Amino acid sequence: MIETVFSAELPVREHLLVQKNRIVGADLAREAGLLPGQSTAEARHPDVLERAPRMAVVTGIHGDELEGQRVAFELARILNQHLDQLHGIVDIYPAINPLGINSIERGVPGYDLDLNRVFPGDEQGSLTEALAAAVVNDIKGAVACVDIHASNIFLREMPQVRINEITAKELVPLAHLINVDFVWVHASATVLESTLAYSLNAVGTKTLVVETGVGMRVTPHETWRLAQGMLRLANHFGIWSGEFEVHGDPMISGDHQVSFLNANAAGVFLPKAEHGKRVGKGELIGLIVDPLAGEVREEVRCPANGLLFTLREYPVVYPGSLLARVLGGE
């Protein structure tokens, strides 16, 4: 059932519409007196739906991050084909920032801001603040929420969950379930309080942030794994009894275990190591070359043994440009 989360009229006959796909299990729908095609607001016994376990999957906060679009599609397709195996509610929010997705812009077009710096929002505030408040109010109370992001156009990321150390005790066990390669626990000082995840965790809705792939692209293998991870998480909460795939157990890391490789020279970065693979200390990660002179300006070598979980995707670099991140301590 497609339901409206937020709606507002914009200048020049434009309309801002944030929607969700609310998927209700077959048995639950019958118990609530919900007929096919009806919205949950039309249920004869809405209290039944209010008591049911509910999980939320969010993506599209940043308009240039498209990996979550396939996750939303695959998850909705599977759930709708097996409603008899769904024993609660799954809310899928594929486009929190629809204007950004339509124009492939990270922020909200015309407002020059990052939507993920506005939460928890304000119902009486500006348009973007009201949108943020509506999203938080709609999601809160879910047993869990997964906020799916992609990297930018410059870097490729392995599937990972990023967690504030303040909420690590509650969230790390859940992160084990969603088929990512590792969990990066950040120091609380590096976590912004204006994000959707922080705002939802602050009101008691356990929320995981996923980063994967590269900006403006869809990585089929990784997004399929994540869609299966959403089913696995739903199974944990008793919402899903159907099949799901399990893709190993993630590594857990703290900030002190991550090495950052930054460019010392300007030029074109040519990777020599394979993204997502283990690398050894001193191994060649890539070269920074000068196409005009035909010279190598820098050999980029790994500072420690570990997992190459971030690798430069966009080749033009300048001094200080991030080239790679390695998860060490192995």
Side-chain angles (χ1 to χ4, degrees):
M1 301 164 211
I2 308 302
E3 300 185 358
T4 296
V5 177
F6 181 80
S7 177
E9 294 298 327
L10 300 174
V12 201
R13 299 182 182 178
E14 292 289 340
H15 187 75
L16 173 59
L17 183 63
V18 177
Q19 296 177 301
K20 69 179 179 183
N21 187 354
R22 167 159 283 190
I23 305 177
V24 180
D27 291 341
L28 180 62
R30 282 191 290 269
E31 187 180 351
L34 191 60
L35 299 176
Q38 285 185 318
S39 71
T40 50
E42 300 174 279
R44 284 181 291 172
H45 306 291
D47 56 309
V48 173
L49 298 176
E50 292 172 2
R51 295 194 302 268
R54 172 172 56 94
M55 191 176 94
V57 177
V58 176
T59 190
I61 290 180
H62 293 136
D64 61 348
E65 298 178 358
L66 305 178
E67 300 279 12
Q69 300 301 298
R70 182 172 178 180
V71 178
F73 160 72
E74 294 288 5
L75 181 60
R77 180 182 62 84
I78 294 169
L79 293 176
N80 280 320
Q81 290 177 351
H82 302 282
L83 292 176
D84 58 321
Q85 296 174 316
L86 181 61
H87 310 290
I89 300 171
V90 175
D91 282 337
I92 302 174
Y93 304 75
I96 298 298
N97 177 12
L99 298 179
I101 289 179
N102 288 341
S103 58
I104 317 298
E105 291 186 36
R106 180 176 180 82
V108 181
Y111 291 85
D112 193 29
L113 59 77
D114 183 337
L115 186 58
N116 213 26
R117 302 295 181 267
V118 181
F119 293 99
D122 180 353
E123 293 179 356
Q124 304 303 318
S126 66
L127 182 141
T128 52
E129 291 174 320
L131 186 160
V135 170
V136 169
N137 289 333
D138 202 73
I139 296 174
K140 69 181 181 182
V143 295
C145 174
V146 181
D147 180 16
I148 301 174
H149 291 259
S151 186
N152 52 41
I153 63 170
F154 299 100
L155 302 169
R156 180 174 293 278
E157 300 281 5
M158 290 179 64
Q160 60 195 265
V161 170
R162 297 183 180 180
I163 294 174
N164 185 338
E165 64 181 5
I166 297 174
T167 54
K169 183 177 180 181
E170 296 80 16
L171 298 184
V172 167
L174 299 181
H176 278 266
L177 301 172
I178 61 175
N179 292 343
V180 295
D181 293 304
F182 76 99
V183 178
W184 190 356
V185 180
H186 284 272
S188 58
T190 67
V191 177
L192 294 172
E193 298 183 5
S194 54
T195 64
L196 174 64
Y198 187 97
S199 300
L200 287 173
N201 279 309
V203 296
T205 299
K206 297 176 181 178
T207 303
L208 300 166
V209 176
V210 172
E211 295 274 353
T212 189
V214 65
M216 299 187 186
R217 298 290 185 272
V218 172
T219 310
H221 174 67
E222 293 178 358
T223 51
W224 172 255
R225 281 177 54 184
L226 283 174
Q228 292 295 311
M230 300 305 102
L231 296 174
R232 189 180 174 191
L233 184 63
N235 174 265
H236 171 79
F237 287 106
I239 296 174
W240 174 251
S241 62
E243 296 181 351
F244 56 86
E245 295 179 10
V246 176
H247 290 267
D249 210 30
M251 298 173 57
I252 311 297
S253 171
D255 281 339
H256 65 283
Q257 295 174 285
V258 175
S259 298
F260 292 75
L261 285 72
N262 296 88
N264 294 311
V268 174
F269 177 66
L270 304 178
K272 297 298 182 182
E274 187 174 351
H275 179 246
K277 300 296 184 180
R278 300 190 188 282
V279 290
K281 184 176 182 179
E283 184 174 335
L284 184 65
I285 299 298
L287 302 173
I288 298 177
V289 303
D290 181 344
L292 178 62
E295 298 175 352
V296 174
R297 294 301 186 192
E298 182 182 356
E299 291 186 351
V300 182
R301 296 191 177 273
C302 187
N305 297 327
L307 179 68
L308 184 62
F309 72 89
T310 302
L311 187 62
R312 185 82 178 183
E313 180 80 9
Y314 190 79
V316 177
V317 299
Y318 301 94
S321 296
L322 181 61
L323 304 176
R325 285 188 285 237
V326 177
L327 178 62
E330 301 177 55

